[in-house]
Amino acid sequence: MSQKRTDIMQRLDLKTFLNAIHLPLVAIGTSERIEGMNDAAIDLLGHDILGRHFVMGLRQPKLLEAIEKVLSHREKTLSNFVGREGDQAFTWDVICSPLTVQGDFLGVLVSFTDVSALETANQMRRDFVANVSHELRTPLTALSGFIETLRGAARDDEKVRDRFLGIMDKEAGRMNRLVGDLLSLSRVEGDERMRPTDEIDIVSVLRSVLQTLKPLAQGQGCDVKLVHADDIGPVLGDRDQLQQIFTNLVENALKYGGRDKTVTVEIARIEHDRSLRCPSLEVRVCDQGEGITPEHIPRLTERFYRVDSHRSREMGGTGLGLAIVKHIVSRHRGRLRVESTLGQGSCFTVVLRQDA
Ligand SMILES: Nc1ncnc2c1ncn2[C@@H]1O[C@H](COP(=O)(O)OP(=O)(O)OP(=O)(O)O)[C@@H](O)[C@H]1O
Ligand SMILES: [Mg+2]
């Protein structure tokens, strides 16, 4: 057994060894030239650098410094490398290790690990925490300011007190909605992999949504129309989550579609949806508002993204509604489509499966 192992260690050639590993690997000899690369390293760095001096081949100062250190001190050294593909940057953690065979120092083995996904996830987490803190700080600052005024200047003025208490109530409500939406988002993300299997009558879901939003529609002077054929059949879904999708879409159409307009909710059956590859129901929520400029459309489902943040906040929006819609649609393996014509209005379409 031990005889065999020694055999492998002595007879295995470097090229076979490097190519058996998926991480990009580069071997630099004591000549300071790049003497070996595996296929993954050729993909990353190109094969032109094979045979060149490592300074010319690798070029990034931090990495060169690390290699020089291994050549002179023969100690493992950590570094990193930034690669580019188009306008996207990829970050690699790099380990430079001394290559020795039976005590002889032969050079440096440089191995690259792609940590871009981790970097992106970390950046997203930092952005998210910053956004949440910012969203909570605004109402909190307002509340602290009003408390101070009520304790001081406005202490004995009943009228001002009532007005301020009204504003404080609105701000507290906004914080409450924000926390509610965050919890809802994290719940939806949590069960995104569990496919919903209940058969749901989407017309009854929409009737209930329109009933709930009746006061908002009346307040906006808007008419909401529900249009559908008979016998369209059920969709596979989670009733509460479908209710959540259409509550946000119809609420948006009412809030951003302008006063005294018509919002139309239309349900159509698609015999065979090409992208879902099964019979589906398409629910279109259309308003007659100002529309959304094309550059905003792909970003609408990002958390906290608002086209006109002042207007959205004014209307009590948290900017999380469409992010939640996107996750729910994805859990349902459906599709969300947004079309908008400036000056004419916007249509948000959700396609839901009737078959698994
Ligand atoms: N029908 C629409 N017409 C015009 N703009 C819209 C429409 N629907 C959404 N938007 C824009 O997209 C942004 C994001 O919508 P989203 O539903 O995610 O957040 P919100 O409505 O601001 O807050 P929330 O839904 O959490 O109360 C809105 O702030 C608004 O600027
Ligand atoms: Mg909304």
Side-chain angles (χ1 to χ4, degrees), residues 316-349:
T318 63
L320 289 172
L322 289 174
I324 296 174
V325 167
K326 181 180 126 180
H327 279 288
I328 298 179
V329 170
S330 137
R331 183 188 170 209
H332 282 72
R333 286 188 298 150
R335 293 277 180 276
L336 172 67
R337 240 180 11 242
V338 185
E339 290 140 327
S340 188
T341 312
L342 286 179
Q344 288 186 19
S346 311
C347 279
F348 287 72
T349 306

Side-chain angles (χ1 to χ4, degrees), residues 210 223-227 250 253 261-267 283-288 346-348:
L210 300 192
D223 204 15
V224 187
K225 275 197 205 140
L226 178 60
V227 184
V250 178
K261 298 274 171 62
T262 302
V263 169
T264 314
V265 182
E266 203 175 334
I267 313 172
V283 186
R284 286 164 70 75
V285 180
C286 298
D287 63 52
Q288 301 172 329
S346 311
C347 279
F348 287 72

Side-chain angles (χ1 to χ4, degrees), residues 203-248:
V203 176
S204 88
V205 170
L206 278 154
R207 283 210 185 101
S208 137
V209 168
L210 300 192
Q211 187 62 30
T212 316
L213 292 174
K214 214 171 185 172
L216 176 65
Q218 282 168 349
Q220 293 284 86
C222 287
D223 204 15
V224 187
K225 275 197 205 140
L226 178 60
V227 184
H228 62 88
D230 293 334
D231 298 334
I232 48 175
V235 292
L236 291 180
D238 174 317
R239 191 181 174 96
D240 289 344
Q241 291 193 338
L242 293 176
Q243 177 112 9
Q244 216 174 347
I245 294 183
F246 296 110
T247 303
N248 185 53

Side-chain angles (χ1 to χ4, degrees), residues 64-311:
L64 300 181
E65 217 173 278
I67 295 169
E68 269 153 20
K69 200 163 155 198
V70 184
L71 285 169
S72 51
H73 294 81
R74 304 182 183 185
E75 271 171 17
K76 188 191 253 181
T77 308
L78 305 181
S79 182
N80 54 53
F81 180 83
V82 180
R84 290 210 156 267
E85 214 175 282
D87 54 1
Q88 227 181 336
F90 292 90
T91 313
W92 302 79
D93 269 355
V94 179
I95 303 175
C96 304
S97 324
L99 260 181
T100 48
V101 171
Q102 290 167 347
D104 283 344
F105 178 68
L106 295 183
V108 187
L109 185 68
V110 185
S111 67
F112 298 75
T113 310
D114 188 354
V115 290
S116 315
L118 203 65
E119 288 274 306
T120 312
N122 277 337
Q123 187 57 44
M124 278 169 69
R125 189 177 49 77
R126 284 194 292 271
D127 288 350
F128 182 63
V129 172
N131 280 331
V132 172
S133 315
H134 174 77
E135 295 291 335
L136 280 172
R137 182 171 289 150
T138 317
L140 269 175
T141 311
L143 280 177
S144 309
F146 285 121
I147 290 170
E148 203 165 293
T149 323
L150 283 174
R151 279 190 164 149
R155 171 175 280 214
D156 300 317
D157 188 331
E158 206 171 313
K159 253 189 169 168
V160 173
R161 200 170 55 206
D162 273 355
R163 191 160 64 83
F164 283 5
L165 283 174
I167 304 174
M168 289 166 74
D169 190 33
K170 205 170 130 198
E171 295 298 335
R174 182 209 299 280
M175 283 201 289
N176 215 343
R177 270 196 307 280
L178 178 60
V179 173
D181 279 356
L182 283 171
L183 286 173
S184 175
L185 189 58
S186 104
R187 249 195 318 266
V188 178
E189 278 179 332
D191 60 19
E192 199 162 332
R193 282 166 201 277
M194 285 158 49
R195 305 292 172 212
T197 49
D198 293 347
E199 292 199 345
I200 309 290
D201 171 10
I202 199 76
V203 176
S204 88
V205 170
L206 278 154
R207 283 210 185 101
S208 137
V209 168
L210 300 192
Q211 187 62 30
T212 316
L213 292 174
K214 214 171 185 172
L216 176 65
Q218 282 168 349
Q220 293 284 86
C222 287
D223 204 15
V224 187
K225 275 197 205 140
L226 178 60
V227 184
H228 62 88
D230 293 334
D231 298 334
I232 48 175
V235 292
L236 291 180
D238 174 317
R239 191 181 174 96
D240 289 344
Q241 291 193 338
L242 293 176
Q243 177 112 9
Q244 216 174 347
I245 294 183
F246 296 110
T247 303
N248 185 53
L249 294 184
V250 178
E251 187 185 73
N252 283 353
L254 290 168
K255 285 198 301 187
Y256 308 114
R259 300 187 62 84
D260 307 322
K261 298 274 171 62
T262 302
V263 169
T264 314
V265 182
E266 203 175 334
I267 313 172
R269 183 158 195 273
I270 311 284
E271 213 46 67
H272 181 84
D273 183 273
R274 283 229 199 116
S275 72
L276 299 185
R277 298 178 187 190
C278 67
S280 317
L281 289 189
E282 197 180 77
V283 186
R284 286 164 70 75
V285 180
C286 298
D287 63 52
Q288 301 172 329
E290 291 162 18
I292 308 164
T293 37
E295 71 266 25
H296 291 297
I297 291 182
R299 301 198 57 192
L300 292 179
T301 55
E302 285 176 21
R303 295 162 187 195
F304 300 115
Y305 191 81
R306 301 165 173 111
V307 174
D308 175 350
S309 57
H310 179 71
R311 186 153 157 235

